[in-house]
Amino acid sequence: MPFNLGKYTELNSFLKTKNVTLVAVSKFQPLEEIQKAYNAGIRDFGENYAQELCSKFPALPDDIRWHFIGHLQTNKVKYIAPFVYLIQSVDSANLLKEINKQAKKAGRIIKCLLQLHIAEETSKTGFNEDEILKINYADYPNIEICGMMGMATFTGNEEILKNEFSKLRETFLKAKPQFPQMQILSMGMTDDYKTAISQGSTMVRVGSLLFGRRS
Ligand SMILES: *Cc1c(COP(=O)(O)O)cnc(C)c1O
């Protein structure tokens, strides 16, 4: 699954016109392909598995900003806490608590996004809106909540996608007063990033378009 420079160049110029940040999703990609993407100018990479991330981190340039985007088990937080740039997939108060604890141990303030459950599929994780509005930010001094993330239903139905993304943006706007540093709205992947951007996305997480379909 080789890194596709042509696709990247095209995507990058589109995202620039929209002022949207690209996170290249590099799960299951070998180091050489990630290095090629880095050489093309990408600095933000997203990984889904703590173990995979921990093995890639020391082998690649240290100015890479590593985003964690998969479901994170509390017992894995300690492995990524020393170096992770942004944990996008925070989906429970328990996880917030553990990230805060490990961030403190590492002498860091860790940036996080709150994941909202917006899809129809129950397999996708995330907070619901009420849970987000109930978070007491002061309980987590070593966490900076920078925004929200969501994954839409796996569907080609434009209306469903639009509704889910706009729901995410609505909750983002509601929660904003509670989290003064909130500005990132991470939504959109290979198949739905254009719809996500039309609904206010400021960050997309794109894998297959750049690296080819994962096997
Ligand atoms: C795998 C993954 C992506 C990227 O998906 P593509 O369809 O390959 O662009 C984005 N976000 C999350 C949370 C993922 O797990």
Side-chain angles (χ1 to χ4, degrees):
M1 296 169 284
F3 174 68
N4 188 322
L5 183 59
K7 295 265 195 212
Y8 165 61
T9 307
E10 195 182 320
L11 176 65
N12 193 38
S13 42
F14 173 72
L15 295 179
K16 281 227 167 87
T17 67
K18 304 283 183 184
N19 224 350
V20 169
T21 305
L22 171 66
V23 175
V25 175
S26 50
K27 60 184 172 208
F28 307 141
Q29 304 301 336
L31 297 175
E32 312 85 83
E33 299 307 325
I34 301 176
Q35 183 67 51
K36 278 186 209 161
Y38 176 91
N39 295 346
I42 299 179
R43 291 296 177 272
D44 293 274
F45 290 91
E47 289 282 339
N48 288 57
Y49 303 96
Q51 202 174 2
E52 186 177 344
L53 174 53
C54 288
S55 75
K56 285 173 172 174
F57 162 70
L60 286 160
D62 56 17
D63 61 342
I64 287 179
R65 294 182 287 267
W66 290 106
H67 297 241
F68 195 86
I69 63 170
H71 176 64
L72 181 58
Q73 289 168 269
T74 49
N75 62 349
K76 302 282 168 63
V77 175
K78 56 179 175 290
Y79 302 116
I80 66 169
F83 67 89
V84 70
Y85 173 70
L86 176 65
I87 302 178
Q88 297 206 8
S89 43
V90 178
D91 57 6
S92 72
N94 238 359
L95 186 55
L96 277 171
K97 212 170 143 192
E98 180 64 16
I99 294 169
N100 187 66
K101 180 178 153 190
Q102 297 300 336
K104 191 169 177 214
K105 259 193 194 167
R108 300 186 67 200
I109 289 179
I110 296 183
K111 294 178 192 293
C112 291
L113 305 184
L114 302 173
Q115 182 172 359
L116 183 73
H117 183 100
I118 52 172
E120 284 168 357
E121 295 109 329
T122 48
S123 60
K124 293 191 170 115
T125 56
F127 287 106
N128 62 39
E129 184 179 284
D130 287 344
E131 291 168 332
I132 287 181
L133 299 175
K134 271 189 218 140
I135 293 171
N136 182 15
Y137 197 14
D139 289 345
Y140 312 105
N142 287 73
I143 290 180
E144 184 180 324
I145 293 180
C146 305
M148 288 182 53
M149 182 271 240
M151 277 176 96
T153 300
F154 184 69
T155 175
N157 185 320
E158 238 357 67
E159 281 314 298
I160 294 178
L161 293 173
K162 272 193 184 156
N163 282 339
E164 292 178 356
F165 289 135
S166 76
K167 162 77 185 146
L168 180 51
R169 182 158 184 278
E170 264 170 39
T171 304
F172 172 86
L173 292 174
K174 261 192 216 171
K176 222 166 180 276
Q178 200 175 324
F179 306 102
Q181 295 103 336
M182 274 222 325
Q183 48 182 10
I184 299 171
L185 191 47
S186 173
M187 54 188 201
M189 319 182 357
T190 294
D191 291 329
D192 58 18
Y193 72 89
K194 284 186 178 149
T195 312
I197 291 170
S198 80
Q199 300 306 308
S201 169
T202 69
M203 179 177 276
V204 293
R205 310 173 309 274
V206 176
S208 328
L209 180 73
L210 301 173
F211 294 103
R213 295 277 161 194
R214 293 172 297 273
S215 44

